[in-house]
Amino acid sequence: MTEKELQAILDGMTTEDKILQLTQMPYVYFKKDGGEITGPVKEMGFSEADISRLGTILNARNQSAVTDLLENYQLKNGAKIPMAIMADVTHGFKTAFPIWLGLACSFDEQLAENCSKMAATEASVAGVSMTCSTMVDLVRDPRWGRVMESFGEDPYLGEVMGAANIRGFQGNFGRYNVAACAKHYVGYGACEAGRDYNTVDMSEYTLRNVYLPPFKACIEAGAQILMPAFNIMFGVPMTMNNKLMVDILREEWGFNGVTVSDYNAFPEAITHGLAQNEKEVAYKAFDAEVDIEMATATYVKYLKELLQEGKISMAQLDKSVMRQLKLKNKLGLFENPRYSYSEEEKQKLFLCEEHRALALTAAEESAVLLKNDGVLPLDINTESIAFIGPHANEKNILGAWVTECSPDDVTPVLDCVKDVYKGRVSYAKGCSWDIDDCDESGIKEAVEIASKVKTVVLTLGEAPNDSSEGCSKLNLDLPEIQYKLLDEILKVNKNVVVLLFTGRPLTIKRVHDKVRAILNMWWPGTEGGRATANLLFGKKSPCGKLSMTFPITVAQCPVYYNHFNTGRPRSDDSKRVPFCSGYIDGPNKPLYPFGYGLSYVKFEYSNFSLSANKFTAGESIKASVLVKNAGNIEAKEVVQLYIRDEFGSIVRPVKELKGFKKILLNPGEEQEVCFEIDEKMLSFYGADLKYGAEKGTFIAFVGSNSDTDYSIKFELI
Ligand code: GLC
């Protein structure tokens, strides 16, 4: 469609048409009793004709839903504007890859892009044209259950992974692409006490230097949709926050895509105490240029009245509707609304070998080896192994937010191990994964088989949906029954390897201190079983690096690597230090830092150097380091570059990730890894909230995690 043709469509729309275009209803709201509409849309007063004019439908993700929309609403009412299906396509549509907190540990943006591209392909043949992903909320507190959807605690990693996601989903807006959404704008992951939907309060420095960059990266990568978050920022709910939604998003960043509210967020402004009634909600959200109201109908109820009162203008309404028409046009929906797709095309794409292979790679590259005294990799011919734990023989290793992905398509870890392992494998569940499980009846059998084998592989961790929306936790420990199972097993066999399945960092020091190895699989997705077997027996070496800090105790939270130094940093973490920023009853340091992850080989870093130790604006210097694989198998390493700005117009973090390179090295191979350090890399929002680099001294660090102290000083003059 040309702009002129789109304008003609807009000109032909009634005011009701336009307002319905700005309204999105969840498909589950369409209850059908013999063709008669019931359910919430009925209570909201929508007629069948209204429904056919809705701009978008949420989460109509299967054939019957899409056919229903086509036959009963689009063709029947001769809709001129195709209804788009927007869906939560997160870490896969039918083929699940690891949760994003895990995939971020791959530090592999091409892999991330490929995974989103795969998800878009599967979703698009199921009628979806817009996704509610990618979630680029930065998170420093694992008590917040939605950390599983995020890329963790680092702004730079969030920028890289967010942009990769946008590219993967959107591609060139072809038949197998979907429009992508940057969410939840902004600061949702900074909810106080890690409690979902809780208050968010931060300085504009922190907002601009830490939480906004991943969103800006998504907009710069061409994200077509943005979703404001449930929380407040500077005291105003994001859904009606003009400073963020208009001044920064639309004017400063020039975003001209579509904004869609989160689920029911409109009327929640009344609960927040910002609006006194739904009419005020509709006005304030519209004034903040929110283009689509999700799951509620204040626009339908009040925009016409607000127009008649002159509070809003038809020009504003047209601008909002036109943004959506342009997006649908960009997606080719006027020519193909994607409601007709063949079963045979679905079967060809859903869970196809290529997609399963990608999911396998993603699961292997996301796993993080947290401890290993040399017991891993296991010898494929070891005489006997006992697999114990609630995840070992379990199909549901997908995690939350899995849309149409099904555990039915998963081969459990135990079966995958049996496919490759020559020795004897025994199994016992031991206990469930429920956080309140206290049924010890399975422990006896588990101990029995543990006593008869050389090695025990014990799975510990969460239940798949215990990290998700509305799943904040007070306690990051494992359920006591899992510690009991571990302790009883250790009484008969010290040779214990733990597989961790989780959607968030957990406080597992009690496990770390007692076992020989810990391999964190996160929620690895459809091919997680095979990936686990490949890593356990050394077909591949783990190479994941933590996208988020693992605290020693929940009391340390929020705990993150890129913290400020304070005026009284703790000088010694091993003992009580008076009058310092520390605790009298424990350490400041976490159990595992950001960027941490072991390998089956040792990597040796040497010859770290800079091409010059000072440079001026407009110039750059090169940092280089030699990395050697000192092991006997090929392995990947994520070489990380951190920079500290020693002095600034505002205080600066002790370290910030500014670059990473993932390299594959054969045994004995050595490679030079280089990074270019320039002024942009040193830029931030300073005391005057102007963006730029400040002259002065800096420290560059390289290494395999954020704890590295392998450093060189340099100067921006
Ligand atoms: C949920 C989530 C959001 C999701 C939306 C639609 O409440 O906050 O991430 O995309 O509703 O399901």
Side-chain angles (χ1 to χ4, degrees):
M1 283 258 182
T2 63
E3 292 257 341
K4 196 158 166 276
E5 287 169 320
L6 287 178
Q7 189 57 50
I9 287 177
L10 181 67
D11 295 343
M13 292 171 77
T14 64
T15 304
E16 287 77 10
D17 289 342
K18 294 175 184 176
I19 294 170
L20 285 164
Q21 193 65 211
L22 304 190
T23 303
Q24 175 181 113
M25 283 294 135
Y27 185 68
V28 289
Y29 277 18
F30 293 64
K31 294 265 182 305
K32 300 291 289 298
D33 300 332
E36 180 57 32
I37 294 177
T38 59
V41 285
K42 177 93 176 170
E43 288 143 33
M44 290 184 207
F46 285 94
S47 68
E48 180 135 329
D50 293 338
I51 290 173
S52 70
R53 292 177 291 165
L54 289 171
T56 49
I57 298 291
L58 177 64
N59 286 336
R61 295 185 301 234
N62 54 44
Q63 171 107 29
S64 61
V66 172
T67 305
D68 175 34
L69 291 175
L70 169 69
E71 289 172 2
N72 295 318
Y73 300 106
Q74 289 284 282
L75 297 184
K76 188 170 164 184
N77 294 287
K80 297 185 291 295
I81 303 167
M83 196 189 269
I85 296 178
M86 185 181 284
D88 286 295
V89 185
T90 53
H91 52 108
F93 182 78
K94 194 66 188 160
T95 310
F97 45 88
I99 56 170
W100 278 109
L101 187 65
L103 193 53
C105 297
S106 71
F107 279 70
D108 186 333
E109 66 183 298
Q110 189 56 59
L111 178 61
E113 183 174 332
N114 295 345
C115 286
S116 297
K117 182 169 181 286
M118 169 176 76
T121 304
E122 293 186 351
S124 65
V125 296
V128 175
S129 55
M130 301 175 183
T131 176
C132 304
S133 288
T134 180
M135 192 259 221
V136 281
D137 296 309
L138 188 128
V139 198
R140 291 172 157 173
D141 192 329
R143 289 175 290 181
W144 189 53
R146 301 198 74 166
V147 63
M148 56 78 61
E149 302 171 61
S150 80
F151 303 126
E153 72 190 50
D154 183 72
Y156 179 68
L157 185 59
E159 292 175 64
V160 170
M161 286 291 163
N165 253 282
I166 298 300
R167 291 193 302 270
F169 277 126
Q170 296 187 158
N172 57 3
F173 298 98
R175 169 71 185 80
Y176 298 104
N177 295 120
V178 297
C181 169
K183 75 179 181 185
H184 309 79
Y185 179 74
V186 61
Y188 185 20
C191 47
E192 286 178 359
R195 200 171 78 228
D196 210 348
Y197 317 117
N198 198 11
T199 300
V200 171
D201 199 4
M202 64 177 71
S203 70
E204 189 159 348
Y205 302 122
T206 300
L207 174 69
R208 286 184 173 275
N209 288 324
V210 178
Y211 289 88
L212 278 178
F215 284 94
K216 192 160 190 284
C218 287
I219 302 302
E220 287 168 352
Q224 294 295 304
I225 307 168
L226 177 133
M227 182 186 292
F230 289 118
N231 54 275
I232 61 171
M233 182 60 71
F234 307 138
V236 177
M238 281 305 306
T239 307
M240 36 210 68
N241 192 309
N242 284 55
K243 178 179 172 65
L244 274 297
M245 293 298 287
V246 180
D247 301 350
I248 292 180
L249 178 67
R250 300 282 189 195
E251 287 165 14
E252 191 178 320
W253 292 357
F255 179 65
N256 197 27
V258 171
T259 51
V260 55
S261 79
D262 205 338
Y263 207 106
N264 197 56
F266 271 47
E268 287 173 18
I270 299 169
T271 316
H272 272 291
L274 187 96
Q276 299 195 38
N277 52 57
E278 287 198 339
K279 183 175 177 181
E280 196 182 339
V281 166
Y283 170 70
K284 287 180 186 280
F286 189 77
D287 189 45
E289 297 197 39
V290 178
D291 297 317
I292 299 177
E293 177 178 5
M294 182 191 284
T296 48
T298 64
Y299 275 179
V300 169
K301 285 183 206 163
Y302 297 105
L303 283 192
K304 197 166 182 180
E305 201 177 308
L306 289 165
L307 276 169
Q308 286 155 355
E309 293 167 0
K311 293 265 181 56
I312 65 173
S313 71
M314 187 55 80
Q316 282 174 291
L317 183 56
D318 287 349
K319 188 168 90 173
S320 186
V321 173
M322 182 52 89
R323 282 195 279 250
Q324 200 171 152
L325 296 184
K326 283 183 175 174
L327 177 54
K328 291 180 175 182
N329 194 39
K330 203 178 184 78
L331 288 161
L333 298 187
F334 285 93
E335 291 75 29
N336 171 8
R338 299 192 185 184
Y339 293 156
S340 57
Y341 60 92
S342 61
E343 196 54 37
E344 154 257 334
E345 185 172 40
K346 266 185 6 180
Q347 295 321 320
K348 185 163 62 85
L349 285 168
F350 285 6
L351 296 157
C352 62
E353 266 322 297
E354 183 195 344
H355 290 181
R356 280 187 177 271
L358 178 60
L360 173 62
T361 300
E364 291 167 342
E365 306 270 316
S366 303
V368 184
L369 186 58
L370 299 173
K371 180 180 181 181
N372 185 27
D373 69 1
V375 66
L376 290 180
L378 298 178
D379 180 337
I380 198 90
N381 301 306
T382 306
E383 71 276 14
S384 60
I385 300 179
F387 268 80
I388 298 171
H391 312 77
N393 192 26
E394 174 58 54
K395 282 176 167 286
N396 189 359
I397 50 175
L398 304 175
W401 289 110
V402 284
T403 52
E404 298 300 300
C405 308
S406 165
D408 296 343
D409 303 313
V410 176
T411 304
V413 171
L414 183 65
D415 294 343
C416 293
V417 164
K418 286 177 178 174
D419 284 350
V420 297
Y421 175 60
K422 312 279 188 294
R424 176 167 56 86
V425 177
S426 47
Y427 163 73
K429 186 174 180 180
C431 67
S432 86
W433 54 32
D434 297 335
I435 47 178
D436 53 3
D437 180 14
C438 48
D439 175 6
E440 300 186 8
S441 61
I443 293 179
K444 184 169 181 295
E445 179 201 11
V447 171
E448 188 67 26
I449 70 164
S451 67
K452 296 183 177 130
V453 298
K454 179 184 174 195
T455 307
V456 173
V457 176
L458 173 63
T459 78
L460 300 173
E462 290 193 315
N465 291 314
D466 276 3
S467 285
S468 187
E469 182 174 357
C471 294
S472 297
K473 272 183 168 176
L474 289 168
N475 181 347
L476 298 175
D477 280 338
L478 295 171
E480 275 308 316
I481 189 123
Q482 295 188 29
Y483 289 120
K484 172 91 174 163
L485 176 63
L486 169 61
D487 290 341
E488 291 306 312
I489 288 169
L490 285 167
K491 286 177 186 169
V492 300
N493 193 327
K494 296 292 183 209
N495 230 14
V496 176
V497 168
V498 163
L499 294 175
L500 187 65
F501 291 86
T502 182
R504 71 177 94 203
L506 298 172
T507 45
I508 55 170
K509 189 166 185 311
R510 284 166 68 181
V511 179
H512 178 93
D513 293 345
K514 297 174 182 175
V515 301
R516 298 192 61 190
I518 302 173
L519 180 61
N520 177 10
M521 294 305 295
W522 298 110
W523 289 112
T526 306
E527 289 298 328
R530 236 170 358 136
T532 305
N534 288 347
L535 294 167
L536 274 177
F537 295 105
K539 189 172 180 187
K540 269 208 173 168
S541 166
C543 58
K545 301 286 184 179
L546 288 180
S547 53
M548 194 161 176
T549 300
F550 269 56
I552 278 187
T553 160
V554 69
Q556 287 181 323
C557 293
V559 58
Y560 47 94
Y561 86 94
N562 50 352
H563 58 80
F564 296 135
N565 201 31
T566 77
R568 295 190 178 187
R570 182 171 184 169
S571 57
D572 183 339
D573 215 44
S574 63
K575 66 183 185 189
R576 184 171 171 166
V577 177
F579 303 113
C580 79
S581 182
Y583 307 97
I584 62 170
D585 57 351
N588 290 26
K589 281 190 174 295
L591 182 59
Y592 312 117
F594 172 81
Y596 171 85
L598 301 176
S599 167
Y600 287 155
V601 304
K602 188 173 175 341
F603 289 102
E604 290 169 353
Y605 285 68
S606 62
N607 293 47
F608 179 29
S609 64
L610 299 177
S611 56
N613 58 13
K614 60 180 72 170
F615 68 101
T616 59
E619 295 177 340
S620 63
I621 53 175
K622 187 175 84 168
S624 62
V625 64
L626 280 181
V627 183
K628 180 177 182 180
N629 173 348
N632 54 15
I633 60 168
E634 72 166 30
K636 291 181 181 176
E637 169 71 332
V638 178
V639 181
Q640 299 155 49
L641 170 73
Y642 295 88
I643 288 180
R644 178 176 189 173
D645 184 348
E646 288 196 288
F647 305 96
S649 57
I650 57 171
V651 296
R652 310 285 292 119
V654 295
K655 252 179 206 142
E656 293 179 285
L657 179 72
K658 291 295 182 184
F660 56 84
K661 297 264 171 86
K662 188 167 188 176
I663 58 174
L664 173 64
L665 294 178
N666 292 313
E669 185 183 357
E670 189 169 62
Q671 185 177 320
E672 184 187 50
V673 177
C674 301
F675 297 95
E676 188 172 352
I677 297 174
D678 59 13
E679 186 193 356
K680 183 176 183 309
M681 195 182 264
L682 309 178
S683 295
F684 67 105
Y685 288 89
D688 52 5
L689 277 179
K690 289 218 173 15
Y691 187 70
E694 295 179 0
K695 292 176 183 173
T697 57
F698 296 80
I699 306 173
F701 303 81
V702 284
S704 62
N705 68 65
S706 59
D707 253 358
T708 178
D709 55 10
Y710 194 20
S711 64
I712 299 179
K713 281 204 170 197
F714 67 92
E715 216 176 332
L716 179 67
I717 54 176

